[in-house]
Amino acid sequence: MIGQSISHYKILEKPGEGGMGVVYKAHDTKLDRDVALKFLPHHLTANETEQARFLQEARAASALNHPNVCGIHAIGEDEGQSFIDMEYVDGVTLRKKLATGPLNIDAALPYAIQIGEALADAHAKGIVHRDVKCENIMINSKNMIKVMDFGLAKLKGSLKLTKTSSTVGTLAYMSPEQIQGAEVDGRSDIFSFGVVLFEMLTGHMPFRGEHEAAMMYSIINEEPEPLTKYVPGASSELLHIFGRAFEKNPEERYQSVHDMVIDLRRLKKQSTKVSREFAKPAGSIPSTGSSHTSSSAELSSASQQQASASFLSKYKWWIGGAIVALMAVATLAVFVLRPWKSTAEINPAMTTRVLEIPLSDILYPGLSGDGNWAAFPAKDVGGNWHVYFMNTSEGEPKAITTDLLSWMSSVDVSSDGSRVAYDGRVPGSNNRIDIFLTSVLGGGTRTIVQNGENPRWQPDGKRIFFMRGLRSTGDPSNKLTIWSVTPEGTEERLEFIDSVSVSGRVSISVSPDGKEVVWLRTFPDGNYQEVVIRNLASGAERQLTFNKKNCDEVCWASNNQIIFSSNKSGNINFWMVPAEGGEQVQITKGLGPDMGMKISTDLKKLLYNERQDVGDFWIGSLESGTTRQITFDDRRKINPCLSPDGKFIAFEMSDANPLNPQNAIYVSNRDGSNRRQLASSPGMVVWAPNWSPDGSRISYIASNPALPSDSAGARKVYVIDAVRTGAPKFIAEGSPGFWLNADSLRLNHGRKHWIASLATGQVSQFFEDSTVGFPLSGGKYVGYWDKNKSIGGFWIVEVDASFKRKGTARRIDDRKDGYTFFLLSRSRDFAIFKKPGGKLLKVWLITGKEEPIPGTFSNIDNGEMFSLAPETNEFIYQINRTKGKLVMIENLFK
């Protein structure tokens, strides 16, 4: 655009570009002045939300008329593209200014005062900037501050442009409430302003983290870096300003920027006075009395005493505060470091028995307050999930639910034993997990929460706590959020956000008085869990464990002991720790794995689930419909993939310890024998093995469980030799990779679809965004899944040589009898579809011809798409099951 004319503006140069706009320096030929024209980037022009935000910036800044705010002249439009005519600032950003090093206090304070005055003017007009940072502050040629970029500003009464709980701004400068998705006001800008001032004086950020989650945790939970670490002579007044600006609770922070500016002005006066005192010539000490014959030693002593008295008088409150702080630290050290002894002792005479249940696929149980009744989710022999209820002393379990859920996870019984809350996956809802409530006497169930899991009763029965996020609950924020709701499903309330946790084991329990909760926090720097308690009223948190091990369940007993399962001893056993912190005591010591537990209110009974997840491989014939099992061990094996000649199987296998997220890619003979590990990646999850067309290599994906699936580095595709052990070769970021030919892999990254060449390393886009597909019939057609939820399904469309559609797409899996895509032939000419109940159908993709497959494949689960052996017309599939039992410990405590 350089040299072009837009309306009455001539474009001169392009000074900068950012996520919210492209800025050009232009000359206004009507008014004969230089201006800055800001355009919305081309890739955002069609986005109504971004356009609204762009225009909101103009409205926000145009409402301001302050010398330290970049002025807005007008809003224009050219060929359908909106732009903002704004003041051209001839200068540099504060970020560029700091590139040569931090500023001293005398240089920083005038800038800080101007920034504060600009924000104060904005706040007075109901405008919160929400993105205060060094990049959005300019210093012009006259050394004046100009606050820029109100693109994320919030105007009082304006359209809400962001989703609830979403965060806007730049992470390192965000306030705790902004990160947690709470409502923000001018006090959030004060926190960000404090970060800018800290960076101006030190060249460093006050809160640090090697990755986003760690940075969030630091801002929300940790104290800032000490200013004195970088500015040893920092005055108490300056420390006081930072102390108030960085308060976690907005109510304890500066309540207005104006108040902060007052303190900055006072500090500037004192700093100037000190500078003048140090600038006085030597020997200008004033007379201290009538005698002019005092020795230099006496003068020195008197001066020192005077200076000491002045210092003590001026800073006595600061010194007193420091003494109090040191005493508090000393007291805390005694409190924390003293040898703790648990207030509860394990009874060596406790008894253990297994409840007699004719089911084995059992998950997390619940227990009534008196310990006499238990509820648990289990899958029956027909593959149907139900909640069962039984007396813990005698009697058979009875199914108390009839809803058809594809999976259940955990249940919790109300203290009086009359009602059961449970979660489960709803069929046909894109794997959504809901929470339900039922009476133990029958009468039907009702949904009380959509998109929630892990329900836990408050002891008084008035509310049910639950979790959202990080798993398949549909929470868009990708954060772990803790909520509560009434048993009637009303008054749903967000209790707090755990913005530190990454995807991992989740569990929560409520304190006996209902004022606190304990939960498992999964840390990103190793994907381990720790036990954390939070006060619901104050938000104060305390971490009870520092084991850096994996945990599965947590339960708050009525004697204020926190019981949790952990693999800290090697096996998965139960441990307990006092709620106030202290020594961790091991409860069970067997091989386990000891998983989800509940304890009665009187502490006499503890019920838990001892279980092992198992995945077995079966081979089925497309011709006869017969099946046979080929693996029989108790390991969890998934995603089997047959080699092109049908002689070998590549698959994933989890660690024998179910809490260890580590897994590996294995290869075995087709009968399951001669198993050997092929590939693993510490700290990563490896999955989706796939053979090359000649059977010599295997591709797979390595995922970082600590990162969102669509972020950089979250998923990487590798290729490894299938026969000779060697290092894997990185191909590209994305998933899931499968072979188009001996040199090319199809993969997805973000919302785009790619083909990667192994020989050249080049990656080129294939077909259309928001699809997952592959070429058919020599590239004349493309078969694809459409990620658009309003369309969905598997489609076939004719394409040209550039894979651009030239015909009308035809849906393949849209059948009234509920068939879904299951397996794909390596030649990509036919696919196998399945329906609930295990019936299979062979469909020729181009012609649409259907061929029913004899037999019924019960409990069949989806596996790797390429599990067909064309020579034998056989396919391999997995059946997942759980070997579980319910165990009761009685008289646990002395």
Side-chain angles (χ1 to χ4, degrees), residues 55-72:
L55 296 177
Q56 181 162 293
E57 172 185 0
R59 290 196 296 270
S62 64
L64 304 175
N65 183 20
H66 191 277
N68 296 122
V69 174
C70 180
I72 299 295

Side-chain angles (χ1 to χ4, degrees), residues 364-386:
Y364 297 84
L367 188 66
S368 62
D370 58 13
N372 294 329
W373 299 93
F376 58 92
K379 186 165 62 172
D380 63 21
V381 293
N384 301 309
W385 282 92
H386 297 289

Side-chain angles (χ1 to χ4, degrees), residues 281-326:
S284 60
I285 301 176
S287 172
T288 59
S290 59
S291 174
H292 295 270
T293 60
S294 300
S295 67
S296 59
E298 291 173 331
L299 280 173
S300 175
S301 175
S303 299
Q304 290 174 3
Q305 291 174 12
Q306 185 181 30
S308 299
S310 176
F311 179 88
L312 290 171
S313 174
K314 185 174 182 180
Y315 295 110
K316 61 184 178 181
W317 67 270
W318 174 251
I319 296 171
I323 293 172
V324 171
L326 287 171

